């Protein structure tokens, strides 16, 4: 039975982290928009993305990946390794939330233009404090991997490798100047992201129309004034 992934159409967003895992594994899945027939079930998800796997419905990106990882061969076999991978993914999603809040620091229901002064201040803090803090931790994770620096966890591709690829791509889109200034300090995660972008398992997907481009309705948005000043 095909997996059913529900996420808002027209933007990569948090759903893209799940798509990358499904695509890498060659899994049979349907990419469906927004809420579907699962809105009225006894265990409703707060918001997309959520995944239906047979009779199971799972919300929250990190939890979806925690469920899919062992099934798709994208997680360690041991429980300690799976929990460590889940911890990394949870931290990644915290970082993604902070990236989103650079352009919507007051409220998601307001337009960017309605909170631009606050966004300018939040983005400066994100670029100078939060980006180095999170990227530095991810770099440390790779450098302390006892299996070497080829992967975030273990000695094979996991969903954390796919996720760091998506995060760095989003930051390159939203904050190209800041990333050009910072990325040299984090060669291990940059190398992993480059490798993921060249994986044969993802080549068809990344070159297809199914790979939705970043845009100004998603998490990572390019507002030049929020990037490093000239």
């Amino acid at each position: 039975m095909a997996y059913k992934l529900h996420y808002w159409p027209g933007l990569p967003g948090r759903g893209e982290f799940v798509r990358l895992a499904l695509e890498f594994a060659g899994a049979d899945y349907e990419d469906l928009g927004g809420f579907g027939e699962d809105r009225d079930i006894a265990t409703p998800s707060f918001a997309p993305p959520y995944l239906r796997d047979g009779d199971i419905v799972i919300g929250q990106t990190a939890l979806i990946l925690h469920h899919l990882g062992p099934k798709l061969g994208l997680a360690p076999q041991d429980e300690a390794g799976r929990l460590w991978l889940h911890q990394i993914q949870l931290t990644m999603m915290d970082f993604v939330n902070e990236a989103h809040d650079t352009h919507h620091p007051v409220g998601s229901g307001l337009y960017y233009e309605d909170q631009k002064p606050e966004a300018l201040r939040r983005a400066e803090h994100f670029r100078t404090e939060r980006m180095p803090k999170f990227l530095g931790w991810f770099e440390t994770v790779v450098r302390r991997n006892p299996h070497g620096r080829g992967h975030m966890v273990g000695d094979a591709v996991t969903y954390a490798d796919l996720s760091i690829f998506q995060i760095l791509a989003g930051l390159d889109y939203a904050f190209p100047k800041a990333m050009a200034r910072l990325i040299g300090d984090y060669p291990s995660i940059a190398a992993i992201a480059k490798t993921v972008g060249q994986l044969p398992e993802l080549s068809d997907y990344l070159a297809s129309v199914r790979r939705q481009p970043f845009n100004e309705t998603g998490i990572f948005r390019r507002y030049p004034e929020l990037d490093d000043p000239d």
Side-chain angles (χ1 to χ4, degrees), residues 169 218 227:
D227 200 357

Side-chain angles (χ1 to χ4, degrees), residues 67-229:
H67 171 75
L68 286 176
K71 297 166 74 80
L72 301 181
L74 284 168
Q77 295 184 354
D78 62 296
E79 183 181 15
R82 291 193 299 273
L83 288 173
W84 172 229
L85 179 63
H86 187 44
Q87 179 182 336
I88 293 169
Q89 188 67 39
L90 286 167
T91 307
M92 288 179 169
M93 301 320 297
D94 287 343
F95 188 35
V96 168
N97 289 339
E98 292 202 20
H100 169 271
D101 288 348
T102 59
H103 51 79
H104 276 74
V106 178
S108 297
L110 301 174
Y111 290 110
Y112 165 65
E113 290 75 16
D114 296 328
Q115 49 196 314
K116 191 170 179 180
E118 294 88 352
L120 290 168
R121 187 177 180 186
R122 183 66 175 265
E124 180 182 10
H125 180 68
F126 180 75
R127 295 190 317 265
T128 60
E129 300 291 337
R130 304 305 286 171
M131 283 177 65
K133 187 176 184 69
F134 277 96
L135 295 177
W137 186 78
F138 299 142
E139 183 75 11
T140 297
V141 166
V142 177
R143 294 187 180 190
R144 294 185 185 178
N145 182 354
H147 297 277
R149 297 187 182 183
H151 301 283
M152 297 290 295
V153 175
D155 59 359
V157 175
T158 66
Y159 59 77
D161 296 322
L162 308 180
S163 292
I164 200 65
F165 162 78
Q166 180 66 10
I167 286 172
L168 295 189
L171 292 173
D172 279 335
Y173 176 80
F175 301 99
K177 292 181 182 179
M179 281 295 284
R181 173 175 56 84
L182 290 170
I183 195 61
D185 294 334
Y186 314 108
S188 299
I189 58 173
I192 290 174
K194 182 177 180 180
T195 297
V196 169
Q198 298 172 344
L199 289 172
E201 293 89 344
L202 288 175
S203 59
D204 288 346
Y205 172 66
L206 294 178
S208 74
V209 296
R210 301 195 313 280
R211 168 70 169 174
Q212 299 182 49
F214 296 106
N215 56 60
E216 277 52 73
T217 59
I219 295 170
F220 298 101
R221 305 187 188 186
R222 180 176 291 171
Y223 295 121
E225 62 271 21
L226 300 186
D227 200 357
D228 272 357

Side-chain angles (χ1 to χ4, degrees), residues 12-33:
R14 294 172 180 84
E16 190 67 12
F17 295 91
V18 182
R19 290 190 199 101
L20 286 169
L22 293 166
E23 291 286 346
F24 175 85
D28 185 15
Y29 78 100
E30 298 178 61
D31 200 344
L32 305 169

